[in-house]
Amino acid sequence: MDPIDHPVSRYALDVVEGRTVAGDLVQLACNRHLLDLETGRDRGLFFDCKAASRVTNFAKLIQHTTGPKGGQPLELEPWQVFRHGSVFGWKREEDGLRRFRNTYHQVAKKNGKTTDTAVPMLFTQLFDRESAPQGYCAATTRDQAGLLFKELKRMIAASPALSQLMKPWRTSIEVPQTSGEIKCLSRDGNTSDGINPHFAARDEVHRWNDRELAEVVVNSMIARSQPIDWAITTAGADMVSICGELREYSEQVLRGQTVDDRFFAYVAEPPPDCDIHDPKVWRMANPNLGVAFKEDDFSAKLREALAIAGRMPNFRRLHLNLWTEGAQSWIERSVWDIGAEPFDPAMLYGKKAWVGVDLSKTTDLTSIVVAVPHDGLIYLICYSFIAAGPKGFIQRAQSEKREYVQWRNEGWLEVHSGGAIDEDKVIERLEVIRQIFNVQEVAYDRWGMKYVAKELNRRRFPLVEHGQGYTSMSSPMKRFEVAMMNKRLRHNGNPVLAWAIGNVHRDEDAAENVKPNKARSRGRIDPAVAAIMAVGRAEAAEGKRKAREIETV
């Protein structure tokens, strides 16, 4: 077969000639391949069609183990054939060994990066003619490293051919035929001392902040004849990082600013100023769009991000594969204001209510939010308190937030004299709330609540301790977001609560848990935190009620 007729080259031609939608850097990668077919011999490089086909055909021995395709053979899509075929097909004339040693693959989430990394990991163990090849699933944490490792074990068990050649154990996969072995590697798990990798899959490199581990993995490959460093990731949030450096270096190589014949890069990235509503833009970041997930699913994710501003940075990063930096707000004011229509709190008296309390001492606001579910909606009644401060309330308002004066005059903000919140007045307000509502729970953060919690407990309030970390806040915050997106929240246009909602910085961890971050927020967020707790507890109770009804039926 002529190299220009190989599927690797056909994909490159389809991209360059516009038949396949791709971003600028993928187009450059394809241009590089086609140009090297013409001029590579001048640098001692050639494309081995059989070697490229060998690895892509090997993929057919592997089966999907999860999702709707579970049990079906792994069929590499053209963009995957291009990557695998390029890395294994390009060789050096002097010794016939592989050209590419270092690789960088940046593709949006849910495009099968982890699954298709199994192909080179398993192939290099069996067919590279390498003595005792060591393969590593490397990541910053043991759990992340274990994702690929567990997937490999499932794939081996599902394949009659592979299960004859490989022996999975709890912490390793042995390959008797080649004396090979695959293990996990992480900073918080196995030691990296004395490793000699032939193939290393570095997963989710945007989370790597351990330069020592990265350098150990790459530098320890020097004794191997044709090792592969396979770095896979989605875009990150900090270009001044290990992953950011790889991303920048990839662009330099692809644009020809740096010549490195040992480095392969595939960066599926739309332009930073792209129209995020354009399906062509979606496909630039998601080459598996229509295969791994549908456009309707992607549209739903986009609608959520447009409604909740705090989700937009992660949507751009995870689903559009665009690097994001800077502050992240939470909910757009125009969306929040949908729930501002006036209501009379008296219509809710006597109904079941869930209360969230965020207590401060001096500088922050203290807030009580009452959440009352009624006729499919959730009504929020917010009480906010502020200490006048050592120089008086007017001085504090002028230096911190001039609207404090107007909010006080309109009854949205209660001012306590002196330099600290009057906790007894907060307790009195909770007593009034209990008299006019059927209070089910009072959720509170125990920090700074020692006296108030003791007194409320003495008065037999239904207290529920509510932490402020990911574990406690993620589910309530997500419930709050869903209720808001479904236009179920009514807040009477409370300006203090609206201000706090607009200040919230939404943090999200690697497992997609979320929480408000007070330190990184733009101003006071105490009313918003109290509202999240109240709505979260109300929605959790409603979920339990429905579950009981289903059980009864």
Side-chain angles (χ1 to χ4, degrees), residues 357-361 366 423 426-427 430 442-456 463:
V357 180
D358 194 359
L359 185 69
S360 71
K361 290 292 185 182
T366 285
E423 294 181 341
V426 173
I427 293 170
L430 286 166
V442 177
Y444 73 99
D445 176 21
R446 67 178 179 180
W447 187 91
M449 279 279 291
K450 186 175 181 180
Y451 167 72
V452 174
K454 182 179 179 180
E455 184 63 21
L456 293 177
L463 297 181

Side-chain angles (χ1 to χ4, degrees), residues 5 28 44 80 99 105 108 117 148 157 191-192 212 231 241 243 275 293 318 325 331 353 373 400 413 446 477 496:
D5 296 323
L28 289 172
Q80 295 169 313
R99 159 194 182 178
H105 312 257
T117 299
L148 173 59
T191 177
S192 58
E212 181 185 355
S241 62
C243 190
D275 176 5
F293 50 92
L318 298 176
E325 297 185 85
I331 294 173
E400 187 175 323
L413 184 63
R446 67 178 179 180
M477 194 169 187
V496 184

